[in-house]
Amino acid sequence: MMYLAAEEAQSPLLPVWPEIVIGLICFGIIFFVFSKKLLPVINKALEERREAIEGGIEKAEAAQTEAQSVLEQYKAQLAEARHEAARLRQEAQEQGAVIIQEMKAEGQRQREEIIAAGHAQIEADRKAAASALRQDVGKLATDLAGKLVGESLQDHARQSGTVDRFLDELEAKAEAAR
């Protein structure tokens, strides 16, 4: 009961000194254990996490820089490929124009050869026809002259003489008609 009487005499607002000392000793022990054992582990985990985050950011920045570099290389290669394609297209158009000109020239040459060959063939045919016609006209004229004159003109000398005479008469009639 004495203890109760002592308690009643003390004010509730004032702390009890033995409890404060025991509390401070326990707090010190806990603080010491936390600062020596738990705090380094927590700091180490936080440091690792900070390094991982910073390393991740650095890696992301490096990856972004590399991606930008690759994108620039890709754009450069694409521009070069487009330039090369345009150059090849231009060369193809130029070669096509040259080939068309060559083909036109070859076609013109072949056309001229065909026309020349046609003219030569026509001239040869005309000469052959004229020769055949002269022979036929000469034969017909000789036959006709032979019938008119009443003599046979089978002999070549006679034929020539008769044809010459006939042609001379025709020329004379033609000159008189003028």
Side-chain angles (χ1 to χ4, degrees), residues 145-152:
K147 288 182 183 177
L148 289 175
V149 174
E151 27 179 292
S152 175

Side-chain angles (χ1 to χ4, degrees), residues 140-156:
L140 287 175
T142 306
D143 290 345
L144 181 60
K147 288 182 183 177
L148 289 175
V149 174
E151 27 179 292
S152 175
L153 300 174
Q154 294 298 327
D155 184 15
H156 183 62

